[in-house]
Amino acid sequence: MDPLVVATFAVVALLEIIVPLALGYWIVKKFGVSWRVFVLGALSFIVVQIVHAPLVLVTQTPLYLAVLPFGTTAAVAVLAVYLGLLAGLFEEIGRYLVYRYIFRRQEIPLTRENGLQFGAGWGGVESMIVALLVLTSMLSYIAVTSDGSMLFLPDDPAIQAQVEALRALTALEILPGLAERMMTIVLHIAWSLMVLAAVVYGRKALLALAIIWHAAVDAAAVYLAQTQGILVTEAAVFVFAVIALAYLFGEWRRMGTRAM
């Protein structure tokens, strides 16, 4: 067992929890926005995933197998587009419905500051859930690298291959996941502001654009991860995150403190 790998797992998981909370705290102090908006964003993400995640689990394998006769690359591409569209539709329409109905029912103003905090909560809780998965991976790493651990594993080539990959893991291979979470939070805030603008300005085209943008990011990430590797994938996500930052600054100036 490499102590550096274990330490990296722990630090990454900790930052994936602390950074979203620190961002929410900064927004509260900077703009006077309530933590209630952060929590609403987090709960909204969870509610959406209660429907979205099972649908993905049930449909992705049959779809992949159905298009596999056309080639592995084609199957991965079709699956990537499908998963991207599902994520875009569920999450952006979910955001839209929360703004349209829950915000008004709770008498939360549709301001850019509340949109910022809502996006921080939405992307933040996803980061925290991923942190729990990172901790699970850390425990798995500790288990399979302990002396004598191989004696208790089933004699299955697929499982043995997964175990060997985990045993060969290095600290540097864990870090890209942290970078991806931070970039994804930026993207979620941008999409949250874009969907808020769709509601405030009454422009459904902005909702459609958020869906397409979200779908493009997820589809690219799935496809590149399977065909080009993690570094190319993270580079693509970085480009999308830079675009998201540019949009955030532009929309922030346009929206001002306007509310409905």
Side-chain angles (χ1 to χ4, degrees):
M1 181 177 67
D2 185 347
L4 182 59
V5 171
V6 176
T8 304
F9 269 126
V11 170
V12 166
L14 186 62
L15 289 175
E16 287 175 344
I17 294 172
I18 288 178
V19 170
L21 293 175
L23 176 60
Y25 177 80
W26 177 80
I27 294 170
V28 168
K29 291 299 183 180
K30 176 73 174 178
F31 303 110
V33 177
S34 172
W35 273 108
R36 179 173 60 138
V37 181
F38 184 96
V39 173
L40 181 57
L43 292 176
S44 298
F45 173 83
I46 292 171
V47 170
V48 167
Q49 295 310 317
I50 288 173
V51 181
H52 175 217
L55 182 61
V56 169
L57 292 175
V58 169
T59 60
Q60 64 178 348
T61 299
L63 175 63
Y64 180 80
L65 293 176
V67 295
L68 190 56
F70 296 97
T72 302
T73 302
V76 171
V78 170
L79 183 63
V81 171
Y82 172 72
L83 294 177
L85 284 173
L86 275 186
L89 287 168
F90 272 93
E91 295 198 42
E92 303 317 319
I93 291 176
R95 270 186 257 261
Y96 183 84
L97 293 176
V98 173
Y99 284 140
R100 282 292 303 272
Y101 301 105
I102 306 300
F103 266 55
R104 288 175 177 173
R105 187 175 302 168
Q106 297 293 323
E107 298 183 345
I108 301 173
L110 294 173
T111 62
R112 61 182 184 176
E113 291 82 7
N114 281 330
L116 185 69
Q117 184 73 309
F118 183 74
W122 189 292
V125 76
E126 183 183 41
S127 179
M128 295 175 199
I129 292 170
V130 171
L132 297 179
L133 298 177
V134 171
L135 290 175
T136 301
S137 297
M138 182 184 73
L139 294 176
S140 298
Y141 174 81
I142 294 172
V144 302
T145 54
S146 300
D147 292 339
S149 61
M150 299 297 286
L151 298 175
F152 303 98
L153 293 172
D155 190 18
D156 184 308
I159 294 178
Q160 294 292 333
Q162 293 175 7
V163 168
E164 289 304 322
L166 194 57
R167 290 168 68 92
L169 194 64
T170 65
L172 289 177
E173 293 176 287
I174 303 169
L175 292 175
L178 174 61
E180 181 178 332
R181 281 305 99 206
M182 301 305 102
M183 293 185 290
T184 302
I185 290 174
V186 173
L187 285 162
H188 276 300
I189 293 174
W191 295 328
S192 294
L193 211 60
M194 180 174 285
V195 176
L196 177 64
V199 177
V200 170
Y201 303 145
R203 295 173 58 187
K204 296 288 182 63
L206 288 174
L207 173 61
L209 181 58
I211 292 171
I212 294 170
W213 185 4
H214 193 147
V217 173
D218 280 29
V222 172
Y223 180 79
L224 292 174
Q226 294 297 318
T227 60
Q228 303 299 321
I230 189 66
L231 292 181
V232 174
T233 303
E234 299 307 330
V237 175
F238 175 76
V239 171
F240 281 117
V242 170
I243 295 171
L245 277 175
Y247 169 77
L248 275 172
F249 285 119
E251 191 58 64
W252 188 264
R253 288 193 298 267
R254 284 190 296 271
M255 189 171 287
T257 56
R258 175 178 177 175
M260 287 180 64

